[in-house]
Amino acid sequence: MSGVRIVLQLSLTLRSFRSLCRARFTEGQPQRPTNPFSMENGTVPCGENRPPEAKETTITEGAAKISFPSANEVFYNPVQEFNRDLTCAVITEFARIQLGAKGIQIKVPGEKDVQKVVVDLLEQEEDKTELQEGANVAPGDQPQTAALGEICKEGLRVLEGLAASGLRAIRFAREVPGLQSVVANDASARAVDLIRHNVQLNKVAHLVRPSQADVRMLMYQHQRVSERFEVIDLDPYGSPAPFLDAAVQAVSEGGLLCVTCTDMAVLAGNSRETCYSKYGAMALKSRACHELALRIVLHSLDLRANCYQRFVVPLLSISADFYVRVFVRVFTGQAKVKASASKQALVFQCVGCGAFHLQRLGKASGAPSGRVKFSAACGPPVAPECEHCGQPHQLGGPLWAEPIHDLDFVGRVLEAVSTNPSRFHTAERIRGVLSVVTEELPDVPLYYTLDQLSSTIHSSTPSLLQLRSALLHAGFRVSLSHACKNAVKTDAPASVVWDIMRCWEKEHPVKRERLSETSPAFRILSVEPRLQANFTIRDDANPSSRQRGLKRFQANPEANWGPRPRARPGGKKVSEAMEDKRKLLQNKRKELSEDMAQRAARLKTFPCKRFKKGTCQRGDQCCYSHRSPTPKATAEATCIDCPQTPNQNPPGPGATAGADLD
């Protein structure tokens, strides 16, 4: 016990001695002001090697200008500019609808000053024939207008729940007219300081109010009808699942809810159990995984809204780059909530050929009295084994089975962007994507892909126009999908699709002797087609967006353009370390183009682990090196492991390594 006490006393003495030395050293040092941008990364200037102030980086996007610390690149991702531009365009048209019903016109720079007819989307659902004029004014009276950068007393209250640098909120204030206020919220105190700085920089303090709070608690505090937000934007890092319950309660009646999901690995079927825990649905690995992800998110939103007698109406659902983005309106109505079960469906997908079938959870039918009768659906729609290839089915869902776009609203946004292309930097891409969206079949969920159909039967791939023409000649509808370049969305049943592929294989035969009798290709091709496909190119097979050469599908904008890593202390140093790791792991699964001699020489540079343990019995025939480390290498490694202290002098010419270590 006495020895332990001596050790403790010595350790305490050493600690106090170090503290005393550190205090004496810092007495004569000049005090430097704390830099808020260095605090952004959780670091504080210390020592003379660190610059007194971190350099700021200023980024201009749209009408906003933001500055952020150069050491933290997480706050800005240029690839998301398309997301922010599209959001500004959608909220502008939503504001035009909402304020137009109150007799207020919005003025957007670059648009022609023409009176627009405003259609209330809620009344459009109930009665398609009712239209409301934007402003019925008496002669001599001036209609009320809402301009950019001005507070509109009857305008929209917007919440950006996860603001980071505040770029999105600032762009709303500077680019969307008809706003009453914008709340830029973030849980990080450093992020809120950065938001205040950028708000002052852009002179929008009268519209944008920075807020530091947990966004869930903030939305729960705005559940009262008079305090709800007309627009809520959620763009989190990863999944928005923790925020959806509060969001569907804090948005006003008929309000707009904008949600981004970047956890595409979960939504695309790589982790089905995680998808179920977050969104209440089982994802599938499918060629239509991107549209499947959109429908799972819509199902999750509607499911959470149903708990509070509310339901969602999708306006626009986009799959782009590494994320999905949905824009929905939230309404209240007990009668409409009863129909939600009939809007959801399970999906049965064959593991062999990829054919899919949807099974609705509920059934809505019209009664003779004019009322809608709800009942349980009957199923399943498939046998235990696929009728085409004999393989089993996987079960996914539930997912949203109704249309994922409001084509009238999408047409309004497309018209506004097309007539004023200089408003957004990504206007060309917005125009292309929305054009494909308007061409999609709204009542046909999911799709096939060209490479999926041809690879299943091991045949050559028909052109897109040939397959679309064959489906049109057979009397079915067909369209593209904005979610996939090679998508074929059609209302033709799977039996017709495979009959067309059987006819294609007869014109371009495969070597059937190489096919296994249990393979999906052998079983599909062993059946004679019931219809004779016609692959003659039709004029209406080429969609309008393709004929006009619109920018429908974005190429990779830059290297490493995916989602940025989560913010951590260390900033740029951490990102540089991640960059080095990416380069190290690049093409790690690809075999190097080298001959056997080069490969043998390369393997000989690696030491044999079994030889070190004394268990290698291959001797000279081992492909790895059996050389023992040289004494010089051992001494160098020992010196590296035990570096000299600054107070020690370098050893003389006659000194040995052992003496130096002693």
Side-chain angles (χ1 to χ4, degrees), residues 161-162 214-217 219-220 232 234-249 257 301 304:
L162 306 159
D214 186 336
V215 63
R216 292 168 292 187
M217 296 305 300
M219 290 188 290
Y220 281 133
I232 295 180
L234 296 175
D235 189 2
Y237 182 91
S239 173
F243 315 108
L244 298 183
D245 182 79
V248 296
Q249 299 180 66
L257 183 58
L301 282 168
R304 285 169 166 83

Side-chain angles (χ1 to χ4, degrees), residues 4 106 208 385 388 511 593 610 651:
V4 175
I106 64 173
V208 181
E385 294 182 349
H388 309 292
K511 297 181 179 180
S593 57
R610 294 184 178 179

Side-chain angles (χ1 to χ4, degrees), residues 81-157:
E81 184 178 4
F82 169 75
N83 187 336
R84 292 182 283 266
D85 287 352
L86 181 62
T87 303
C88 290
V90 169
I91 296 179
T92 300
E93 292 308 308
F94 178 74
R96 197 190 305 274
I97 293 171
Q98 293 291 93
L99 299 184
K102 301 177 183 179
I104 303 175
Q105 299 180 12
I106 64 173
K107 297 180 63 176
V108 179
E111 285 188 355
K112 296 180 180 180
D113 190 11
V114 179
Q115 179 72 19
K116 293 192 175 183
V117 177
V118 178
V119 182
D120 192 331
L121 296 183
L122 179 59
E123 295 183 359
Q124 182 184 4
E125 272 193 358
E126 300 173 353
D127 189 359
K128 294 288 185 180
T129 61
E130 291 187 5
L131 295 178
Q132 295 181 348
E133 291 294 332
N136 297 323
V137 295
D141 294 340
Q142 294 295 331
Q144 187 177 356
T145 60
L148 279 179
E150 297 180 358
I151 298 177
C152 181
K153 294 182 179 180
E154 299 183 12
L156 307 181
R157 290 168 294 182

Side-chain angles (χ1 to χ4, degrees), residues 46 86 107 114 140 240 350 368 401 412 523 578 582 602:
C46 63
L86 181 62
K107 297 180 63 176
V114 179
C350 175
R412 293 171 60 92
R523 296 187 178 183
M578 291 293 295
R582 289 193 187 105
R602 181 173 57 83

Side-chain angles (χ1 to χ4, degrees), residues 26 69 79 85 134 166 223 234 247 256 262 267 272 276 285 321 354 378 403 454 494 509 521 587 590 602-603 634 640:
T26 56
V79 180
D85 287 352
Q223 293 183 21
L234 296 175
L256 180 64
T262 59
L267 289 168
R272 299 178 178 88
Y276 180 80
K285 286 188 176 181
D321 299 331
C378 300
S454 58
N587 300 325
K590 295 183 180 179
R602 181 173 57 83
L603 292 179
T634 305
I640 293 174

Side-chain angles (χ1 to χ4, degrees), residues 134 141 197 315 319 379 421 424 496 513 589-590 592 616:
D141 294 340
H197 176 78
L315 294 182
S319 172
F424 301 114
V496 173
E513 62 274 8
R589 296 185 179 180
K590 295 183 180 179
L592 300 177
C616 184

